[in-house]
Amino acid sequence: MHDLTKSEWLALEKKAYELRKLTLQTTVWAGSGHLGGGMSILDLLTVLYHKYLNIRVEEPQWEDRDRFILSKGHAAIAYAPVLCDKGFNPVEMLKTFNLSGSKMGMHLDSNKVVGVDASTGSLGHGVSIAAGTALAAKLMGKDYLTYVATGDGELGEGSNWEGFMTLNHYQLSNCIVFIDRNHCMIDGPTEDVMKLEPLADKMTAFGFNTVTVDGNNIGELCGAIDAAVERSKEPCAPTCIIMDTKKGAGVKTIEGDYLWHYGAIDDALFEKFNKELSEDYKARCERAEKEGK
């Protein structure tokens, strides 16, 4: 269950649609990008930055801010537009994304891009960093939360599981873990490359309060985050939200296709993909109208 009003849900859908279009445009400016995994996680990025994160755009290093760590750092093709649209960086910077001399590389550098809490891209680092920021909050008596998003293909890195053990050992319920379960990685379907299932059972066995939701349904996503935030008020088992998503969500042509883990877009595809995004947005609004309160 979620506490979203219909108007709030529709506003978040509108923002997610705008950010998907900006991500598509950024991919064109860059010449190519990790579009599939960027699109699959954009609903999460939208709700975090426009509903949940306690942050100050005018004071990006505010000591008591919530932390967000994008462990699947290659999804920066979507994360950079979110940060620029929010006001941390000029939108003009997106025009040079991953080009020579730009501050915005394919993986965002926290020393160069305002609003980034951790430099990621070498997969497997984010969960351990998140365990550190969450433990620091606990030791210092701080109320800030840490949110960390991993990719499912990324879970082939053993360091993630060490981080999961740490979060459980210290009962860091102030860290909320998201797994973008889009079922694909660069070399193919995850279950062909390196089996993950039964993933929910594994996370539960590692001590997590584990929830699985449709990660491209803003209503379901917000309901799971609401519950996790409520749990964070007391030291207890941390929450893992497994987001069942579609690679390339919102662009019908590339949805579920691992070959679009990374790709380039010509003018014809750009026009086609934008049309598909518009159709997807219409369907999403219809769902919000039907299911919203």
Side-chain angles (χ1 to χ4, degrees):
M1 294 296 290
H2 56 78
D3 295 324
L4 280 179
T5 63
K6 185 182 296 187
S7 61
E8 186 179 16
W9 190 342
L10 287 168
L12 288 169
E13 291 288 5
K14 183 174 185 289
K15 179 53 67 176
Y17 172 53
E18 292 170 350
L19 290 169
R20 278 190 165 87
K21 288 199 298 181
L22 189 54
T23 296
L24 198 61
Q25 180 62 68
T26 301
T27 305
V28 173
W29 285 327
S32 58
H34 296 88
L35 189 60
M39 290 296 193
S40 66
I41 204 171
L42 249 173
D43 294 299
L44 173 66
L45 296 177
T46 301
V47 300
L48 286 182
Y49 277 86
H50 292 276
K51 179 171 170 61
Y52 291 101
L53 288 177
N54 183 24
I55 52 179
R56 296 174 178 174
V57 173
E58 71 283 358
E59 192 180 350
Q61 293 299 316
W62 177 42
E63 186 176 312
D64 294 322
R65 73 190 183 283
D66 287 341
R67 271 66 169 174
F68 172 68
I69 297 165
L70 182 67
S71 192
K72 49 172 284 181
H74 51 286
I77 195 77
Y79 187 31
V82 170
L83 291 174
C84 290
D85 175 78
K86 188 71 178 176
F88 283 106
N89 303 273
V91 176
E92 286 291 307
M93 283 179 66
L94 296 176
K95 293 181 178 179
T96 63
F97 186 91
N98 203 41
L99 302 182
S100 297
S102 176
K103 290 184 176 182
M104 283 193 168
M106 188 60 73
H107 305 97
L108 300 185
D109 185 334
S110 61
N111 293 314
K112 296 179 180 178
V113 183
V114 181
V116 177
D117 283 316
S119 303
T120 57
S122 296
L123 298 177
H125 294 172
V127 174
S128 296
I129 297 171
T133 61
L135 183 58
K138 185 176 182 179
L139 293 174
M140 295 188 297
K142 297 284 188 179
D143 292 330
Y144 71 77
L145 298 180
T146 295
Y147 299 82
V148 57
T150 72
D152 49 4
E154 181 183 5
L155 296 186
E157 296 279 4
S159 52
N160 290 292
W161 300 92
E162 293 176 314
F164 293 153
M165 289 169 66
T166 302
L167 288 169
N168 175 55
H169 178 78
Y170 291 103
Q171 293 288 277
L172 298 175
S173 58
N174 60 343
C175 179
I176 301 172
V177 174
F178 299 90
I179 299 174
D180 184 16
R181 185 73 173 107
N182 62 30
H183 306 274
C184 296
M185 54 197 296
I186 191 168
D187 291 326
T190 56
E191 298 311 284
D192 292 345
V193 179
M194 182 61 70
K195 291 186 186 300
L196 283 173
E197 296 301 336
L199 181 56
D201 290 345
K202 289 175 181 176
M203 296 307 299
T204 300
F206 269 68
F208 280 78
N209 168 54
T210 307
V211 182
T212 301
V213 299
D214 178 348
N216 297 132
N217 181 322
I218 284 175
E220 282 193 30
L221 200 49
C222 288
I225 298 173
D226 287 341
V229 170
E230 188 61 32
R231 282 179 58 85
S232 73
K233 296 174 183 176
E234 298 293 337
C236 60
T239 293
C240 171
I241 300 174
I242 299 174
M243 306 184 302
D244 189 15
T245 63
K246 292 179 180 177
K247 195 94 167 177
V251 182
K252 202 70 176 175
T253 298
I254 69 173
E255 281 187 351
D257 186 352
Y258 79 88
L259 294 174
W260 274 95
H261 177 86
Y262 187 91
I265 304 168
D266 60 19
D267 291 342
L269 279 180
F270 180 64
E271 187 176 332
K272 181 181 181 181
F273 288 2
N274 262 316
K275 183 179 179 181
E276 291 179 3
L277 281 177
S278 179
E279 292 168 352
D280 179 72
Y281 174 53
K282 180 181 178 182
R284 285 167 172 262
C285 287
E286 288 172 353
R287 177 171 63 190
E289 290 281 1
K290 182 179 178 180
E291 299 178 15
K293 298 175 183 178

